Amino acid sequence: MSQPRILVLAASLRGGSLNRRLAELFARRVTEQGGQATLPDLRDYAMPLYDGDIEQNEGIPATAKALHQVFAGHQGIFIASPEYNSALSPLLVNILSWVSRVKDNGGQGAAFGTPVYALGSASPGGFGGYRGLVALRGVLELGLGARVLPQMVSVPAAHQAFDEAGELTTPAGAMVGTLAGQLLKAVG
Ligand SMILES: Cc1cc2nc3c(=O)[nH]c(=O)nc-3n(C[C@H](O)[C@H](O)[C@H](O)COP(=O)(O)O)c2cc1C
């Protein structure tokens, strides 16, 4: 049987990103449980701020089309998403906006209807970015027709929660492994 392919996205470009650490941890838990994790650097998919004039005059950026293909090529997608003002980061809003505009290769359904989504967040704050995940769930489920697993993992005080090996020293650590297992089961 082939290994389930899981795309793991860190929706922050910041060098010291806490969500990148969460994404890397999730990817390790996927691999340990028999899945195949892909963890791209979203800097490789840089795209302009969504603008209808750009879409009309220049078309959809090649990076957005490439990312659409990456989404569609995976059975499960985990997004580690920072919370900005209780909502999504501008990076993630922009990516989801552009990718949702791709009409080729199965269009929106291939990128958002086919993979199963799982969500996580890490924040120095006390809520761990959970409110942003609720907003992200709304975009994925209501806006894009995605299936999102009910359980989500958020890591409060994340600046103090990872050890040198990148493991979580808080109760959220166990939840990361559980969520990875749930995603693999959902797509298997
Ligand atoms: C404009 C802005 C708004 C933010 N709003 C929130 C917020 O609502 N809740 C929260 O927990 N953290 C908030 N933060 C802090 C981020 O969670 C923190 O910078 C986090 O480390 C970003 O994710 P990263 O480490 O993956 O880059 C905000 C940061 C910025 C720059």
Side-chain angles (χ1 to χ4, degrees):
M1 223 169 69
S2 64
Q3 290 178 303
R5 291 184 309 281
I6 307 295
L7 178 65
V8 181
L9 297 176
S12 168
L13 303 179
R14 210 169 63 81
S17 168
L18 299 167
N19 286 279
R20 178 87 195 173
R21 283 194 231 173
L22 175 59
E24 287 169 354
L25 181 61
F26 191 91
R28 285 202 297 280
R29 295 292 102 93
V30 164
T31 307
E32 287 162 7
Q33 294 179 62
Q36 188 186 320
T38 316
L39 211 168
D41 186 341
L42 289 176
R43 286 182 192 280
D44 296 336
Y45 297 91
M47 50 192 88
L49 190 60
Y50 179 82
D51 177 339
D53 286 343
I54 295 179
E55 182 178 355
Q56 195 175 341
N57 299 330
E58 300 166 31
I60 293 169
T63 45
K65 288 185 175 177
L67 201 53
H68 174 277
Q69 275 206 322
V70 174
F71 277 34
H74 287 80
Q75 296 151 286
I77 300 181
F78 174 75
I79 305 178
S81 171
E83 176 180 276
Y84 275 23
N85 299 324
S86 302
L88 285 68
S89 69
L91 173 71
L92 193 52
V93 172
N94 199 44
I95 284 173
L96 295 178
S97 300
W98 274 120
V99 172
S100 75
R101 300 296 295 165
V102 176
K103 308 274 190 300
D104 313 338
N105 300 318
Q108 205 178 84
F112 298 104
T114 308
V116 178
Y117 283 76
L119 308 181
S121 61
S123 166
F127 294 115
Y130 196 85
R131 295 166 303 183
L133 293 186
V134 173
L136 175 56
R137 174 182 290 280
V139 173
L140 289 169
E141 287 182 337
L142 302 178
L144 299 167
R147 178 182 164 204
V148 182
L149 292 184
Q151 190 176 357
M152 307 189 285
V153 61
S154 54
V155 184
H159 58 304
Q160 301 167 334
F162 291 93
D163 66 17
E164 282 184 5
E167 292 293 321
L168 278 168
T169 57
T170 61
M175 290 174 63
V176 175
T178 301
L179 188 59
Q182 288 176 346
L183 185 56
L184 288 169
K185 193 172 168 203
V187 305

